[in-house]
Each structure stands twice: as structure tokens, then as C-alpha cells.
Amino acid sequence: MGLLNFLFGNNNKKIQDFKKRDAVILDVRTKPEFDAGAISGSVHIPLNEIPSKIIEIKQWNKPVITCCASGVRSGSAAKTLNNNDIEAINGGGWRSLQKKL
């Protein structure tokens, strides 16, 4: 098991399950990072804005796959969403997530 799998878990099966259920890809990087490249169709809400957007995100009524540059911020975002009764998983870095989709 690689270090990243140990830290972030191997969630390929969960990602595929979420994808089948029309999950929203939520990119939590900064605007300049997002503008430099992102997964097509992903929604951009910077990590620091997640707490103020919980009601909006709940209204999507869909599971959420979070992503960022490396997986650290998206892990934090997924935890915040889960703590607010939103089904979410950490998709990790956006580039690696894009390959899994």
C-alpha cells in the first residue's frame, strides 16, 4: 500500500459509485488555481467558503466528490460536508481524479 493510499484511502470504487449516482465534483482550490485548469463541469467553491455554502450544497441533493491540488484541502472539505449531513468523499487531487472519472 502506497503512502497516499494509506493517508487518503483507495477510493476508486467509491468514486465510481458516486459517479453512477450523478455526483457533483466540487473543486475547493483558490480561484487562480481553478482558472488555471479544472475538471470540466466541476463546481468551484474555495475551501474557506464551504461553511457559508452548506445550505446551497444541500440543495443539490446529490453526493459530492471534493478535489483540490493534492487531496489535503478536499479532505477537509469532505469532512465538513459529512459533518453537515452531506454525503461526500475526498477525490484527492483534481488531475488524478480526472483520470478516475
Side-chain angles (χ1 to χ4, degrees), residues 21-87:
R21 295 190 290 130
D22 200 25
V24 173
I25 307 300
L26 177 60
D27 193 315
V28 300
R29 297 176 295 152
T30 64
K31 182 162 177 32
E33 287 175 300
F34 184 80
D35 289 346
I39 295 172
S40 177
S42 62
V43 175
H44 177 243
I45 302 176
L47 178 60
N48 65 329
E49 294 179 21
I50 296 292
S52 67
K53 302 280 186 172
I54 292 296
I55 293 170
E56 175 186 329
I57 296 168
K58 279 187 177 186
Q59 290 174 347
W60 298 345
N61 202 28
K62 294 182 179 185
V64 177
I65 303 172
T66 59
C67 66
C68 64
S70 67
V72 176
R73 288 175 286 179
S74 56
S76 178
K79 184 175 181 178
T80 298
L81 296 175
N82 286 319
N83 287 342
N84 284 278
D85 300 319
I86 298 168
E87 186 179 14

